[in-house]
Amino acid sequence: MTHKLIFFFSILSIISACRKTETGIDMTYRRQFEIPVGLSPGPSHNFVLKSIPSDTAVFFKINNITADQLLGVLPRSMNLRTIFQGTGNTFSIVDRVEVVIFDPSRPDIPEIPIFYRYDVPLSTGDRLDLVPDASNIKKFVLDGKTFDVRIKFFFRDFIPRSFEVETNIVFLGKTS
């Protein structure tokens, strides 16, 4: 039994050593929007967070780095939460969510998927965590002054009442 445990921990340490740890700075963006009453299941419903300032100068100053030091900008985390918890509004009515980043002032650059969540559990409460995509979105955050984010919802049922949602989006500005 001891040999099996030693073997198991040896394999675990090898796997852990092989995982590459990415370092950098967190770039956080928060926005709010409302999901109105009566939206139906079936078709997708899009909510666009417009003209989000990239604020790179602020992030660089706080972290004492320059744009030249960034190797890329990757989606790190995103969550949606209802602003007024305890009102009965939950994300259990959501079937799936897809999020893309784009810049309408530069139509030659295609939108890029940045987060998603498929098969949202029925037990989901008033916070929904999304899964990051591995796309490099440096061109939207560094080369432009602003960017837009489209959140596409697919609902399981009709929305019984309006509710306000806050997004918390975090990108990783990779420095190594």
Side-chain angles (χ1 to χ4, degrees), residues 91-102:
F91 290 104
S92 62
I93 200 148
V94 175
D95 182 48
R96 73 180 194 259
V97 181
E98 300 170 353
V99 183
V100 298
I101 190 170
F102 66 101

Side-chain angles (χ1 to χ4, degrees), residues 65-117:
I65 66 168
T66 65
D68 295 337
Q69 293 174 282
L70 283 188
L71 304 174
V73 178
L74 305 174
R76 176 173 262 187
S77 68
M78 180 176 178
N79 65 60
L80 307 169
R81 70 172 187 83
T82 60
I83 293 176
F84 302 107
Q85 287 90 12
T87 59
N89 290 328
T90 69
F91 290 104
S92 62
I93 200 148
V94 175
D95 182 48
R96 73 180 194 259
V97 181
E98 300 170 353
V99 183
V100 298
I101 190 170
F102 66 101
D103 183 350
S105 69
R106 298 185 291 171
D108 54 314
I109 300 175
E111 64 184 32
I112 296 177
I114 53 175
F115 296 99
Y116 64 93
R117 181 72 184 260

Side-chain angles (χ1 to χ4, degrees), residues 12-29:
L12 186 61
S13 65
I14 291 170
I15 291 171
S16 297
C18 292
R19 285 184 22 197
K20 184 179 178 187
T21 304
E22 296 177 324
T23 59
I25 63 170
D26 282 343
M27 304 169 80
T28 303
Y29 303 91

Side-chain angles (χ1 to χ4, degrees), residues 11 22 50 52 55 72 77 80 82 118 124 140 147 155 161:
I11 295 295
E22 296 177 324
K50 295 183 178 186
I52 300 172
D55 291 335
S77 68
L80 307 169
T82 60
Y118 301 131
T124 301
F140 292 105
F147 57 89
F155 297 110
R161 63 182 158 266

Side-chain angles (χ1 to χ4, degrees), residues 10 17 115 164:
S10 298
F115 296 99
E164 292 183 52

Side-chain angles (χ1 to χ4, degrees), residues 35-45 93 153-160:
I35 297 178
V37 65
L39 295 181
S40 62
S44 64
H45 299 280
I93 200 148
F153 285 96
F154 296 86
F155 297 110
R156 291 187 170 101
D157 204 347
F158 287 93
I159 302 299

